[in-house]
């Protein structure tokens, strides 16, 4: 049985056109040229508008086409595979609007949805020049004046600050600030002419065509009903909205990683060294399959995380932080490894030799930076160590929510924003299910359906997970001085999450896999993924299972399929 | 000699024609900073690459690395494009050239000439044994045909050292070097290829040559015919040993910028520097810089002191140092956040260095090539025992015997004199027994390496063993440098940095342990003190360039 969201992803990619063809607007070569000219991808954004992509950013309940976050993950991932600049330039409207989906009343949300469907661009005005991720220090003010708010101050750097029609703005509404001192306002720039100006586009290392700029308000007056949700609830709404956007950030890493691995394979299968095709050198083959395994881990983490938006929303404060730390960091490291394979070609600009690999590296660096950096996300996990450790010890189960999250055939409940929580209460079901999953694997091994080697690797993951939870239990929270060692524990927790996600994804979906798929037979992909996770945790992964992935990697490459445990045909033919 | 840092002046002064603002503007234009080139020509940088007996200033490999490190602190593109390239090209001449060739190159470099090293062909990369450019013998000499690509300064060098095939039969004795005076060959017998633009060191002119029936006089042949690979293997021991030490200047600058950012930026009601995670990141990068410097110091001095095993050290250094430096740069990039991503503003140099660093490492032997040259010798080295290296190998201001290219061996069969330092470590370095055990474990694996794991097509076991070898060498080098230089400054004497170094290397070997908090605090104090005093962040702690009229820092050897 093929998984429907991957079939829809295929259809979407086909609509985007052949990325290898010179005459399609959304081609690899076209995006490389735009980047060199530092030019905004105007034509491509129009194409996406024409294809109705903006409606995908609007939940169906508010008149849009967004029914499941799994679809959004795949779409943004396929956009980002072609060009990260396009993905963030266009997808930014989702970020701008998400707070409305989380907190606005139906009338407000419906109105915004209609605007977006008709092409309005929305940006999210959070960051300020001197405060970065420290939202409580924000200085932009919105002062109540009768039935209006008067807005003053500067937001920078903001994606699409200049091109946007609307700004979803976080502003200080109580002079003293504090957790209840900020509100979100939906500011329509088209109605405040003269009371704001745009700040010039910042020159960035990557995503050079993107409109990363700023906006400065000079006494702009907006109606009081521009406030999204309750006045004073701005920070809470932002923190909940970030749970969604941070989870979806996985797409911005998965796409570029797929493209980069394909470029490395283009080179490694054509280039000869020491009388052999590069791919046949053991060290090169090992690197490529390791990167492939890492990419599969990242996909499973991202996939189960977006499914948990629907099925386990109360856990999202931890899950989103794990995703936003782990996936971009993993992909940065993968790109580094792939660069070693490509050698000089990894650094050559222009199309013929590097194929744009250097652009992917530059572009992707921003994913770990925006929307809450690695440090911010690890901190979010650390703050919840005590409850995570307790829930793990107590073996708390997540029941139906976990089943729906992990089993791709299960229909997902509609996303309910009122279920989002700023902190978890019952831990993270996926990680807490690990001991039971090991039991299940043990009985499967007893029946001979699972190799003893896979069981041993899974047990090694379990041992590391126990170890990590001991460290979490021993941690004494401190609001100010979070010791550096806690960050190491949080990184390790993220890996445990990834391992548990892989194991459960395999257990719950293996029955649906085609019997002849080498990735699923004998648990090949899950074994390799667990081994990588255990290795990164510093444990003993056992014999080299990663190498067994090579045939699947090459088959997906040659057939032009997405690098994934699930089948998904990509558009276009790679030209030699 | 005037001090290069003093000539470069204050990097942050907007008006400084060789300050960071000018360096960044040149990078945006994709050209080498002309004022920087003029400054280095005025300084006579070429003389740094010419042995003293030929009229230059090259008498010590560690000194050369230190001088060039100052250039890399300012601008990697200048360091590579104006500097090192010519040395890489000259090294085979110092190794195998005859008196006339040596004198010619010496005079050429002393006169400010640029020498291109024409090895690479895009189709073969680092695999020089497959080079297709060929030199055919004629009655008058040779005729050169073929393309060389990714050659630094090809667009504007007046001379080049070209690596070409001189025999049709396969094997290691089929190639030779040629010293080509491009001004003397007939016009039309070669052309310069357009540049290959790169994402980092954008100012470097990475071009190429296409030779078509280019006649060369017989005396352009360097060394005996077919000696090319042997010359490469000898000459590159020197270049691989000194290059990583030079490029550490880039990490020095990145770390200084990060410390500045952390001290200025306020988040959550305090400076970033006051956040424990940021403090640990800075201390970690500082420690890694010191580890790298220890390994580079030992690799460079080994060329003089233990030349027979210098090749192993050079390859391990060229393998490990770029990797540690890049990991440190990545950690610092997380600390910078968006400020490290902007090509404008006070920290724009950060994104430039983050782009430059990886390009520096692919040039001149990538990781796999270096590892491949180490792996075959590991079993024998692990089996053999003997005397540890003398203290002079580690003492940065100690006298050195002259560097004799002829003593560099191609097939070292002795024991590793540096690794032995890990036996019986003093208790104050912490981690009791860990490195002794890791050394024993490594020996055990290395002696058992199957022959199929020791060739160029080596499997994972070979690469993994060479990786651990490099980490152990870094640990041993750090211990050696610490023991031999304790009297040079209170910081070098105090144990914090060596404990931190061994803890971090131990973690890379899979041995986690120790609480870094106390060491990190001391390293942080030293880091910020050095930044305030305007001295470098490496072992030497040299004064940095500053505006005229301001007072000097605490000076060398604090």
């Amino acid at each position: 049985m093929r998984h429907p969201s991957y079939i829809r992803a295929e259809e979407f990619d086909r609509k985007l056109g052949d990325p290898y063809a010179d005459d399609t607007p959304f081609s690899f070569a076209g995006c490389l040229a735009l980047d060199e000219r530092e030019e905004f991808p105007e034509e491509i954004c129009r194409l996406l508008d024409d294809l109705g992509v903006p409606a995908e950013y609007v939940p169906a309940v508010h008149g849009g086409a967004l029914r499941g976050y799994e679809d959004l993950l795949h779409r943004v991932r396929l956009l980002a595979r072609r060009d990260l600049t396009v993905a963030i330039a266009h997808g930014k409207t989702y970020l701008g609007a998400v707070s409305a989906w989380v907190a606005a009343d139906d009338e407000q949300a419906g109105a915004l949805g209609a605007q977006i469907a008709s092409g309005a661009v929305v940006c999210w005005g959070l960051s300020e020049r001197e405060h970065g991720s420290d939202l409580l220090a924000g200085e932009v003010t919105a002062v109540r004046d009768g039935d209006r708010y008067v807005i003053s101050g500067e937001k920078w750097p903001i994606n699409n600050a200049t091109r946007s029609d609307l700004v979803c703005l976080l502003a200080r509404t109580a002079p003293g600030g504090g957790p209840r001192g900020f509100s979100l306002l939906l500011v329509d720039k088209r109605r405040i002419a003269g009371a704001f100006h745009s700040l010039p586009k910042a020159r960035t290392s990557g995503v050079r065509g993107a409109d990363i700029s700023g906006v400065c308000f000079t006494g702009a007056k907006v109606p009081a009903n521009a406030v999204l949700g309750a006045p004073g609830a701005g920070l809470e709404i932002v923190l909940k909205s970030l749970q969604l956007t941070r989870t979806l950030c996985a797409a911005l890493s998965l796409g570029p990683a797929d493209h980069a691995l394909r470029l490395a394979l283009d080179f490694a299968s054509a280039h000869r060294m020491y009388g052999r095709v590069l791919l046949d050198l053991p060290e090169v083959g090992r690197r490529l399959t390791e990167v492939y395994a890492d990419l599969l881990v990242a996909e499973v983490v991202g996939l189960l995380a977006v499914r948990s938006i629907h099925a386990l929303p109360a856990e999202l404060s931890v899950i989103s932080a794990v995703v936003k730390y782990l996936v971009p960091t993993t992909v940065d490291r993968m790109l580094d490894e792939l660069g070693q394979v490509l050698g000089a070609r990894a650094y050559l600009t222009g199309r013929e030799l590097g194929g744009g690999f250097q652009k992917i590296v530059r572009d992707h660096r921003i994913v770990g930076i925006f929307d809450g950096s690695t440090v911010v996300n690890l901190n979010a996990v650390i703050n919840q160590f005590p409850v995570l450790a307790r829930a793990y010890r107590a073996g708390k189960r997540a029941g139906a929510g976990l089943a729906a999250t992990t089993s791709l055939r299960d229909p997902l409940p509609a996303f309910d924003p009122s279920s989002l929580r700023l902190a978890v209460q019952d831990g993270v079901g996926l990680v807490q299910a690990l001991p039971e999953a090991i039991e299940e694997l043990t009985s499967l091994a007893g029946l001979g359906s699972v190799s003893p080697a896979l069981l041993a690797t899974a047990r090694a993951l379990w041992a590391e997970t126990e170890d990590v939870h001991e460290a979490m239990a021993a941690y004494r929270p401190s609001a100010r001085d979070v010791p550096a060692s806690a960050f190491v524990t949080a990184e390790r927790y993220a890996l445990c999450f990834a391992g548990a996600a892989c194991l459960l994804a395999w257990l719950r979906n293996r029955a649906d896999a085609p019997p002849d798929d080498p990735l699923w037979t004998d648990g090949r992909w899950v074994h390799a993924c667990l081994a990588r996770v255990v290795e990164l945790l510093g444990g003993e992964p056992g014999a080299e299972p990663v190498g067994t992935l090579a045939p699947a990697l090459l088959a997906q490459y040659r057939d032009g399929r997405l690098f994934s445990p699930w089948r998904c045909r990509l558009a276009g033919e790679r030209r030699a | 000699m005037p001090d290069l840092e003093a000539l470069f002046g204050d990097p942050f002064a907007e008006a400084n024609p060789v300050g960071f603002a000018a360096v960044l503007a040149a990078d945006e234009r994709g050209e080498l900073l002309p004022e920087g080139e003029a400054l280095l020509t005025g300084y006579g940088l070429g003389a740094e690459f010419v042995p003293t007996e030929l009229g230059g200033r090259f008498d010590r490999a560690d000194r050369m690395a230190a001088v060039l490190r100052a250039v890399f602190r300012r601008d990697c593109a200048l360091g590579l494009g104006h500097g090192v390239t010519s040395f890489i090209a000259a090294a085979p001449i110092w190794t195998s050239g005859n008196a006339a060739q040596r004198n010619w190159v010496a005079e050429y470099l002393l006169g400010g000439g640029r020498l291109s090293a024409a090895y690479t062909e895009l189709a073969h990369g680092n695999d020089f044994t497959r080079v297709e450019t060929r030199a055919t013998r004629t009655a008058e000499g040779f005729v050169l045909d073929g393309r060389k690509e990714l050659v630094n300064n090809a667009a504007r060098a007046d001379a080049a050292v070209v690596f070409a095939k001189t025999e049709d039969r396969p094997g290691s004795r089929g190639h030779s070097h040629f010293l080509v005076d491009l001004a003397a060959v007939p016009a039309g017998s070669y052309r310069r290829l357009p540049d290959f633009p790169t994402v980092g060191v954008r100012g470097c002119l990475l071009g190429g040559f296409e030779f078509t029936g280019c006649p060369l006089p017989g005396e352009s042949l360097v060394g005996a015919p077919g000696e090319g690979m042997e010359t490469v293997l000898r000459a590159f021991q020197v270049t691989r040993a000194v290059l990583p030490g030079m490029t550490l200047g880039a990490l020095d600058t990145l770390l200084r910028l990060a410390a500045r950012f952390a001290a200025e930026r306020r988040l959550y009601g305090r400076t970033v520097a006051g956040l424990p995670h940021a403090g640990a990141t800075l201390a970690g990068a500082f420690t890694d810089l010191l580890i790298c410097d220890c390994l580079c110091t030992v690799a460079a001095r080994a060329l003089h002191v233990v030349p027979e095993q210098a090749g192993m050290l050079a390859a391990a250094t060229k393998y490990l140092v770029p990797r540690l430096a890049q990991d440190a740069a990545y950690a610092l990039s997380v600390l910078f956040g968006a400020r490290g991503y902007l090509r404008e503003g006070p920290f724009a140099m950060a994104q430039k260095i983050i782009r430059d660093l990886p390009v520096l490492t692919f040039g001149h032997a990538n990781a796999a090539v270096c590892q491949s040259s180490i792996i075959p010798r590991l079993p024998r080295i692990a089996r053999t025992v003997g005397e540890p290296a003398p203290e002079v190998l580690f003492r940065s201001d100690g006298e050195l015997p002259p560097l004799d290219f002829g003593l560099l061996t191609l097939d070292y069969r002795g024991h590793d004199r540096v690794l032995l330092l890990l036996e019986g470590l003093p208790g104050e370095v912490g981690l009791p027994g860990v490195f002794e055990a890791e050394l024993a474990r490594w020996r055990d694996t290395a002696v058992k390496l199957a022959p199929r794991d020791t060739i160029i097509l080596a499997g994972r076991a070979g690469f993994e063993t060479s990786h651990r070898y490099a980490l152990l060498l870094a640990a041993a080098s750090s211990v050696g440098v610490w023991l031999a230089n304790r009297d040079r400054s209170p910081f070098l004497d105090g144990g914090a940095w060596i404990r931190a170094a061994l803890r971090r290397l131990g973690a890379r070997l899979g041995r986690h342990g120790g609480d870094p908090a106390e060491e990190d605090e001391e390293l942080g104090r030293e880091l910020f003190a050095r930044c305030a005093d305007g001295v470098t962040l490496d072992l030497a702690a040299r004064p940095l360039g500053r505006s005229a009229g301001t007072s000097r820092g605490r000076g060398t050897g604090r």
Side-chain angles (χ1 to χ4, degrees), chain A residues 226-298:
Chain A
V227 173
L228 281 180
L235 276 171
E236 188 184 332
I237 300 169
V238 166
L239 291 175
K240 286 180 175 170
S241 304
L242 283 167
Q243 294 180 15
L244 298 172
T245 58
R246 286 175 182 165
T247 305
L248 283 166
C249 270
L252 301 177
S253 290
L254 292 174
D258 183 279
H259 186 199
L261 177 54
R262 220 164 286 274
L263 288 175
L265 281 162
D266 284 346
F267 177 64
S269 53
H271 191 75
R272 294 180 76 83
M273 240 179 132
Y274 310 113
R276 291 199 188 188
V277 174
L278 214 50
L279 204 53
D280 292 338
L281 295 177
E283 178 67 0
V284 174
R286 181 187 67 80
R287 268 186 207 276
L288 291 172
T289 40
E290 242 174 51
V291 164
Y292 179 49
D294 286 348
L295 178 50
L296 298 185
V297 173

Side-chain angles (χ1 to χ4, degrees), chain A residues 28 52-53 83 104 127 159 180 207 257 303 315-316 364 410 414 421 433 465 475 503 521 525 552 563 569:
Chain A
F28 291 130
V53 178
D83 184 36
S127 293
N159 184 10
R180 311 293 307 172
V207 293
L303 183 67
E315 297 187 359
L316 215 54
H364 184 263
D410 284 13
R421 294 288 174 272
T465 305
Y475 175 71
L503 184 52
T521 44
W525 75 259
F563 296 120
R569 179 85 169 76

